[in-house]
PDB file of all heavy atoms in Angstrom:
ATOM      1  N   GLY A  50       7.359  28.332  -8.971  1.00  0.00           N
ATOM      2  CA  GLY A  50       7.786  29.760  -8.912  1.00  0.00           C
ATOM      3  C   GLY A  50       6.680  30.637  -8.343  1.00  0.00           C
ATOM      4  O   GLY A  50       6.890  31.493  -7.488  1.00  0.00           O
ATOM      5  N   ALA A  51       5.434  30.419  -8.841  1.00  0.00           N
ATOM      6  CA  ALA A  51       4.289  31.249  -8.367  1.00  0.00           C
ATOM      7  C   ALA A  51       4.009  30.984  -6.912  1.00  0.00           C
ATOM      8  O   ALA A  51       3.721  31.863  -6.115  1.00  0.00           O
ATOM      9  CB  ALA A  51       3.068  30.980  -9.237  1.00  0.00           C
ATOM     10  N   LEU A  52       4.064  29.692  -6.543  1.00  0.00           N
ATOM     11  CA  LEU A  52       3.785  29.309  -5.146  1.00  0.00           C
ATOM     12  C   LEU A  52       4.872  29.787  -4.205  1.00  0.00           C
ATOM     13  O   LEU A  52       4.598  30.121  -3.039  1.00  0.00           O
ATOM     14  CB  LEU A  52       3.586  27.810  -5.020  1.00  0.00           C
ATOM     15  CG  LEU A  52       2.283  27.244  -5.633  1.00  0.00           C
ATOM     16  CD1 LEU A  52       2.323  25.729  -5.649  1.00  0.00           C
ATOM     17  CD2 LEU A  52       1.092  27.796  -4.899  1.00  0.00           C
ATOM     18  N   MET A  53       6.113  29.840  -4.696  1.00  0.00           N
ATOM     19  CA  MET A  53       7.223  30.314  -3.804  1.00  0.00           C
ATOM     20  C   MET A  53       6.972  31.770  -3.437  1.00  0.00           C
ATOM     21  O   MET A  53       7.266  32.163  -2.262  1.00  0.00           O
ATOM     22  CB  MET A  53       8.558  30.159  -4.528  1.00  0.00           C
ATOM     23  CG  MET A  53       9.022  28.716  -4.645  1.00  0.00           C
ATOM     24  SD  MET A  53       9.213  27.884  -3.074  1.00  0.00           S
ATOM     25  CE  MET A  53      10.637  28.697  -2.412  1.00  0.00           C
ATOM     26  N   VAL A  54       6.486  32.572  -4.367  1.00  0.00           N
ATOM     27  CA  VAL A  54       6.174  33.977  -4.049  1.00  0.00           C
ATOM     28  C   VAL A  54       5.113  34.048  -2.971  1.00  0.00           C
ATOM     29  O   VAL A  54       5.239  34.848  -2.020  1.00  0.00           O
ATOM     30  CB  VAL A  54       5.813  34.717  -5.308  1.00  0.00           C
ATOM     31  CG1 VAL A  54       5.334  36.133  -5.011  1.00  0.00           C
ATOM     32  CG2 VAL A  54       6.960  34.775  -6.285  1.00  0.00           C
ATOM     33  N   LYS A  55       4.090  33.224  -3.074  1.00  0.00           N
ATOM     34  CA  LYS A  55       3.019  33.204  -2.067  1.00  0.00           C
ATOM     35  C   LYS A  55       3.565  32.717  -0.711  1.00  0.00           C
ATOM     36  O   LYS A  55       3.271  33.294   0.325  1.00  0.00           O
ATOM     37  CB  LYS A  55       1.870  32.299  -2.508  1.00  0.00           C
ATOM     38  CG  LYS A  55       1.056  32.823  -3.633  1.00  0.00           C
ATOM     39  CD  LYS A  55       0.094  31.813  -4.153  1.00  0.00           C
ATOM     40  CE  LYS A  55      -1.217  31.831  -3.415  1.00  0.00           C
ATOM     41  NZ  LYS A  55      -2.211  30.939  -4.031  1.00  0.00           N
ATOM     42  N   LEU A  56       4.333  31.617  -0.753  1.00  0.00           N
ATOM     43  CA  LEU A  56       4.861  31.064   0.504  1.00  0.00           C
ATOM     44  C   LEU A  56       5.831  32.025   1.193  1.00  0.00           C
ATOM     45  O   LEU A  56       5.934  32.054   2.396  1.00  0.00           O
ATOM     46  CB  LEU A  56       5.580  29.741   0.250  1.00  0.00           C
ATOM     47  CG  LEU A  56       4.676  28.511  -0.035  1.00  0.00           C
ATOM     48  CD1 LEU A  56       5.495  27.364  -0.458  1.00  0.00           C
ATOM     49  CD2 LEU A  56       3.833  28.200   1.195  1.00  0.00           C
ATOM     50  N   ARG A  57       6.524  32.791   0.404  1.00  0.00           N
ATOM     51  CA  ARG A  57       7.491  33.751   0.935  1.00  0.00           C
ATOM     52  C   ARG A  57       6.802  34.696   1.919  1.00  0.00           C
ATOM     53  O   ARG A  57       7.408  35.129   2.933  1.00  0.00           O
ATOM     54  CB  ARG A  57       8.111  34.497  -0.225  1.00  0.00           C
ATOM     55  CG  ARG A  57       9.251  35.322   0.061  1.00  0.00           C
ATOM     56  CD  ARG A  57       9.767  35.885  -1.236  1.00  0.00           C
ATOM     57  NE  ARG A  57      10.842  36.785  -1.045  1.00  0.00           N
ATOM     58  CZ  ARG A  57      11.472  37.408  -2.021  1.00  0.00           C
ATOM     59  NH1 ARG A  57      11.105  37.241  -3.267  1.00  0.00           N
ATOM     60  NH2 ARG A  57      12.446  38.216  -1.751  1.00  0.00           N
ATOM     61  N   ASN A  58       5.543  35.034   1.632  1.00  0.00           N
ATOM     62  CA  ASN A  58       4.784  35.946   2.467  1.00  0.00           C
ATOM     63  C   ASN A  58       3.937  35.257   3.515  1.00  0.00           C
ATOM     64  O   ASN A  58       3.567  35.891   4.492  1.00  0.00           O
ATOM     65  CB  ASN A  58       3.898  36.816   1.568  1.00  0.00           C
ATOM     66  CG  ASN A  58       4.710  37.666   0.615  1.00  0.00           C
ATOM     67  OD1 ASN A  58       5.753  38.198   0.993  1.00  0.00           O
ATOM     68  ND2 ASN A  58       4.261  37.795  -0.604  1.00  0.00           N
ATOM     69  N   SER A  59       3.581  33.996   3.319  1.00  0.00           N
ATOM     70  CA  SER A  59       2.643  33.342   4.217  1.00  0.00           C
ATOM     71  C   SER A  59       3.235  32.242   5.129  1.00  0.00           C
ATOM     72  O   SER A  59       2.633  31.965   6.166  1.00  0.00           O
ATOM     73  CB  SER A  59       1.475  32.783   3.420  1.00  0.00           C
ATOM     74  OG  SER A  59       1.967  31.683   2.572  1.00  0.00           O
ATOM     75  N   ALA A  60       4.285  31.623   4.738  1.00  0.00           N
ATOM     76  CA  ALA A  60       4.848  30.506   5.514  1.00  0.00           C
ATOM     77  C   ALA A  60       5.757  31.024   6.609  1.00  0.00           C
ATOM     78  O   ALA A  60       6.935  31.272   6.386  1.00  0.00           O
ATOM     79  CB  ALA A  60       5.607  29.539   4.587  1.00  0.00           C
ATOM     80  N   THR A  61       5.206  31.186   7.796  1.00  0.00           N
ATOM     81  CA  THR A  61       6.010  31.722   8.900  1.00  0.00           C
ATOM     82  C   THR A  61       7.067  30.756   9.429  1.00  0.00           C
ATOM     83  O   THR A  61       7.993  31.143  10.100  1.00  0.00           O
ATOM     84  CB  THR A  61       5.076  32.142  10.051  1.00  0.00           C
ATOM     85  OG1 THR A  61       4.307  31.011  10.461  1.00  0.00           O
ATOM     86  CG2 THR A  61       4.166  33.279   9.642  1.00  0.00           C
ATOM     87  N   GLU A  62       6.897  29.455   9.079  1.00  0.00           N
ATOM     88  CA  GLU A  62       7.826  28.462   9.528  1.00  0.00           C
ATOM     89  C   GLU A  62       9.087  28.396   8.676  1.00  0.00           C
ATOM     90  O   GLU A  62      10.058  27.728   8.994  1.00  0.00           O
ATOM     91  CB  GLU A  62       7.207  27.027   9.480  1.00  0.00           C
ATOM     92  CG  GLU A  62       5.856  26.918  10.064  1.00  0.00           C
ATOM     93  CD  GLU A  62       4.767  27.107   9.024  1.00  0.00           C
ATOM     94  OE1 GLU A  62       4.853  28.053   8.206  1.00  0.00           O
ATOM     95  OE2 GLU A  62       3.813  26.318   9.008  1.00  0.00           O
ATOM     96  N   LEU A  63       9.079  29.138   7.548  1.00  0.00           N
ATOM     97  CA  LEU A  63      10.186  29.100   6.597  1.00  0.00           C
ATOM     98  C   LEU A  63      10.688  30.519   6.321  1.00  0.00           C
ATOM     99  O   LEU A  63       9.891  31.458   6.278  1.00  0.00           O
ATOM    100  CB  LEU A  63       9.771  28.467   5.278  1.00  0.00           C
ATOM    101  CG  LEU A  63       9.340  26.997   5.274  1.00  0.00           C
ATOM    102  CD1 LEU A  63       8.704  26.637   3.976  1.00  0.00           C
ATOM    103  CD2 LEU A  63      10.598  26.141   5.499  1.00  0.00           C
ATOM    104  N   THR A  64      11.983  30.603   6.054  1.00  0.00           N
ATOM    105  CA  THR A  64      12.545  31.835   5.541  1.00  0.00           C
ATOM    106  C   THR A  64      12.917  31.526   4.069  1.00  0.00           C
ATOM    107  O   THR A  64      13.686  30.605   3.772  1.00  0.00           O
ATOM    108  CB  THR A  64      13.829  32.243   6.291  1.00  0.00           C
ATOM    109  OG1 THR A  64      13.511  32.404   7.674  1.00  0.00           O
ATOM    110  CG2 THR A  64      14.445  33.483   5.741  1.00  0.00           C
ATOM    111  N   ILE A  65      12.277  32.264   3.187  1.00  0.00           N
ATOM    112  CA  ILE A  65      12.450  32.000   1.740  1.00  0.00           C
ATOM    113  C   ILE A  65      13.023  33.274   1.064  1.00  0.00           C
ATOM    114  O   ILE A  65      12.477  34.354   1.239  1.00  0.00           O
ATOM    115  CB  ILE A  65      11.085  31.652   1.088  1.00  0.00           C
ATOM    116  CG1 ILE A  65      10.545  30.386   1.712  1.00  0.00           C
ATOM    117  CG2 ILE A  65      11.236  31.529  -0.404  1.00  0.00           C
ATOM    118  CD1 ILE A  65       9.127  30.027   1.322  1.00  0.00           C
ATOM    119  N   GLU A  66      14.139  33.058   0.321  1.00  0.00           N
ATOM    120  CA  GLU A  66      14.757  34.171  -0.389  1.00  0.00           C
ATOM    121  C   GLU A  66      14.957  33.808  -1.871  1.00  0.00           C
ATOM    122  O   GLU A  66      15.334  32.677  -2.150  1.00  0.00           O
ATOM    123  CB  GLU A  66      16.150  34.487   0.212  1.00  0.00           C
ATOM    124  CG  GLU A  66      16.179  34.973   1.610  1.00  0.00           C
ATOM    125  CD  GLU A  66      17.638  35.182   2.006  1.00  0.00           C
ATOM    126  OE1 GLU A  66      18.347  35.961   1.345  1.00  0.00           O
ATOM    127  OE2 GLU A  66      18.029  34.533   3.001  1.00  0.00           O
ATOM    128  N   LYS A  67      14.765  34.788  -2.700  1.00  0.00           N
ATOM    129  CA  LYS A  67      15.207  34.633  -4.104  1.00  0.00           C
ATOM    130  C   LYS A  67      16.726  34.857  -4.005  1.00  0.00           C
ATOM    131  O   LYS A  67      17.167  35.918  -3.605  1.00  0.00           O
ATOM    132  CB  LYS A  67      14.595  35.686  -4.973  1.00  0.00           C
ATOM    133  CG  LYS A  67      13.516  35.236  -5.823  1.00  0.00           C
ATOM    134  CD  LYS A  67      13.080  36.331  -6.786  1.00  0.00           C
ATOM    135  CE  LYS A  67      12.004  35.781  -7.660  1.00  0.00           C
ATOM    136  NZ  LYS A  67      11.522  36.784  -8.620  1.00  0.00           N
ATOM    137  N   TRP A  68      17.476  33.833  -4.352  1.00  0.00           N
ATOM    138  CA  TRP A  68      18.917  33.888  -4.098  1.00  0.00           C
ATOM    139  C   TRP A  68      19.669  34.443  -5.282  1.00  0.00           C
ATOM    140  O   TRP A  68      20.516  35.317  -5.191  1.00  0.00           O
ATOM    141  CB  TRP A  68      19.434  32.533  -3.692  1.00  0.00           C
ATOM    142  CG  TRP A  68      20.817  32.534  -3.189  1.00  0.00           C
ATOM    143  CD1 TRP A  68      21.921  32.055  -3.802  1.00  0.00           C
ATOM    144  CD2 TRP A  68      21.252  33.047  -1.960  1.00  0.00           C
ATOM    145  NE1 TRP A  68      23.015  32.211  -3.018  1.00  0.00           N
ATOM    146  CE2 TRP A  68      22.640  32.831  -1.871  1.00  0.00           C
ATOM    147  CE3 TRP A  68      20.639  33.645  -0.887  1.00  0.00           C
ATOM    148  CZ2 TRP A  68      23.420  33.227  -0.794  1.00  0.00           C
ATOM    149  CZ3 TRP A  68      21.398  34.000   0.215  1.00  0.00           C
ATOM    150  CH2 TRP A  68      22.781  33.815   0.253  1.00  0.00           C
ATOM    151  N   SER A  69      19.445  33.888  -6.473  1.00  0.00           N
ATOM    152  CA  SER A  69      20.130  34.364  -7.663  1.00  0.00           C
ATOM    153  C   SER A  69      19.340  33.977  -8.933  1.00  0.00           C
ATOM    154  O   SER A  69      18.391  33.199  -8.829  1.00  0.00           O
ATOM    155  CB  SER A  69      21.576  33.818  -7.760  1.00  0.00           C
ATOM    156  OG  SER A  69      21.510  32.417  -8.016  1.00  0.00           O
ATOM    157  N   TYR A  70      19.757  34.476 -10.053  1.00  0.00           N
ATOM    158  CA  TYR A  70      19.135  34.100 -11.280  1.00  0.00           C
ATOM    159  C   TYR A  70      20.208  33.833 -12.336  1.00  0.00           C
ATOM    160  O   TYR A  70      20.923  34.729 -12.733  1.00  0.00           O
ATOM    161  CB  TYR A  70      18.181  35.242 -11.811  1.00  0.00           C
ATOM    162  CG  TYR A  70      17.410  34.778 -13.004  1.00  0.00           C
ATOM    163  CD1 TYR A  70      16.186  34.193 -12.850  1.00  0.00           C
ATOM    164  CD2 TYR A  70      17.931  34.889 -14.290  1.00  0.00           C
ATOM    165  CE1 TYR A  70      15.470  33.708 -13.949  1.00  0.00           C
ATOM    166  CE2 TYR A  70      17.196  34.455 -15.372  1.00  0.00           C
ATOM    167  CZ  TYR A  70      15.988  33.850 -15.218  1.00  0.00           C
ATOM    168  OH  TYR A  70      15.269  33.404 -16.246  1.00  0.00           O
ATOM    169  N   THR A  71      20.287  32.574 -12.687  1.00  0.00           N
ATOM    170  CA  THR A  71      21.189  32.140 -13.793  1.00  0.00           C
ATOM    171  C   THR A  71      20.393  31.087 -14.553  1.00  0.00           C
ATOM    172  O   THR A  71      20.348  29.949 -14.116  1.00  0.00           O
ATOM    173  CB  THR A  71      22.477  31.569 -13.246  1.00  0.00           C
ATOM    174  OG1 THR A  71      23.105  32.488 -12.352  1.00  0.00           O
ATOM    175  CG2 THR A  71      23.457  31.217 -14.354  1.00  0.00           C
ATOM    176  N   SER A  72      19.767  31.469 -15.589  1.00  0.00           N
ATOM    177  CA  SER A  72      18.906  30.615 -16.461  1.00  0.00           C
ATOM    178  C   SER A  72      17.651  30.184 -15.743  1.00  0.00           C
ATOM    179  O   SER A  72      16.705  29.666 -16.370  1.00  0.00           O
ATOM    180  CB  SER A  72      19.668  29.392 -17.009  1.00  0.00           C
ATOM    181  OG  SER A  72      19.848  28.437 -15.988  1.00  0.00           O
ATOM    182  N   ALA A  73      17.522  30.383 -14.442  1.00  0.00           N
ATOM    183  CA  ALA A  73      16.298  30.121 -13.664  1.00  0.00           C
ATOM    184  C   ALA A  73      16.538  30.662 -12.235  1.00  0.00           C
ATOM    185  O   ALA A  73      17.715  30.671 -11.818  1.00  0.00           O
ATOM    186  CB  ALA A  73      15.965  28.667 -13.639  1.00  0.00           C
ATOM    187  N   THR A  74      15.511  30.992 -11.525  1.00  0.00           N
ATOM    188  CA  THR A  74      15.679  31.487 -10.207  1.00  0.00           C
ATOM    189  C   THR A  74      16.158  30.395  -9.249  1.00  0.00           C
ATOM    190  O   THR A  74      15.641  29.261  -9.256  1.00  0.00           O
ATOM    191  CB  THR A  74      14.338  32.028  -9.647  1.00  0.00           C
ATOM    192  OG1 THR A  74      13.898  33.080 -10.506  1.00  0.00           O
ATOM    193  CG2 THR A  74      14.473  32.568  -8.219  1.00  0.00           C
ATOM    194  N   THR A  75      17.184  30.728  -8.457  1.00  0.00           N
ATOM    195  CA  THR A  75      17.593  29.817  -7.385  1.00  0.00           C
ATOM    196  C   THR A  75      16.967  30.388  -6.091  1.00  0.00           C
ATOM    197  O   THR A  75      17.073  31.565  -5.820  1.00  0.00           O
ATOM    198  CB  THR A  75      19.144  29.840  -7.255  1.00  0.00           C
ATOM    199  OG1 THR A  75      19.693  29.357  -8.472  1.00  0.00           O
ATOM    200  CG2 THR A  75      19.591  28.950  -6.082  1.00  0.00           C
ATOM    201  N   TRP A  76      16.336  29.482  -5.370  1.00  0.00           N
ATOM    202  CA  TRP A  76      15.706  29.844  -4.099  1.00  0.00           C
ATOM    203  C   TRP A  76      16.533  29.305  -2.941  1.00  0.00           C
ATOM    204  O   TRP A  76      17.102  28.241  -3.007  1.00  0.00           O
ATOM    205  CB  TRP A  76      14.309  29.215  -4.034  1.00  0.00           C
ATOM    206  CG  TRP A  76      13.362  29.743  -5.039  1.00  0.00           C
ATOM    207  CD1 TRP A  76      13.126  29.150  -6.302  1.00  0.00           C
ATOM    208  CD2 TRP A  76      12.567  30.916  -4.974  1.00  0.00           C
ATOM    209  NE1 TRP A  76      12.173  29.931  -6.936  1.00  0.00           N
ATOM    210  CE2 TRP A  76      11.826  31.001  -6.166  1.00  0.00           C
ATOM    211  CE3 TRP A  76      12.361  31.871  -3.981  1.00  0.00           C
ATOM    212  CZ2 TRP A  76      10.926  32.016  -6.412  1.00  0.00           C
ATOM    213  CZ3 TRP A  76      11.487  32.901  -4.224  1.00  0.00           C
ATOM    214  CH2 TRP A  76      10.794  32.951  -5.420  1.00  0.00           C
ATOM    215  N   ARG A  77      16.594  30.090  -1.852  1.00  0.00           N
ATOM    216  CA  ARG A  77      17.205  29.654  -0.648  1.00  0.00           C
ATOM    217  C   ARG A  77      16.109  29.561   0.431  1.00  0.00           C
ATOM    218  O   ARG A  77      15.312  30.469   0.595  1.00  0.00           O
ATOM    219  CB  ARG A  77      18.244  30.711  -0.180  1.00  0.00           C
ATOM    220  CG  ARG A  77      18.903  30.390   1.139  1.00  0.00           C
ATOM    221  CD  ARG A  77      19.827  31.510   1.558  1.00  0.00           C
ATOM    222  NE  ARG A  77      20.342  31.270   2.913  1.00  0.00           N
ATOM    223  CZ  ARG A  77      19.694  31.585   4.005  1.00  0.00           C
ATOM    224  NH1 ARG A  77      18.509  32.188   4.030  1.00  0.00           N
ATOM    225  NH2 ARG A  77      20.205  31.320   5.190  1.00  0.00           N
TER     226      ARG A  77
END
Side-chain angles (χ1 to χ4, degrees):
L52 289 171
M53 289 300 291
V54 173
K55 289 171 88 174
L56 285 173
R57 191 174 176 181
N58 297 321
S59 66
T61 57
E62 313 92 314
L63 295 168
T64 301
I65 299 172
E66 294 178 58
K67 257 187 176 179
W68 191 253
S69 70
Y70 187 90
T71 307
S72 75
T74 301
T75 298
W76 296 94
R77 178 184 172 274

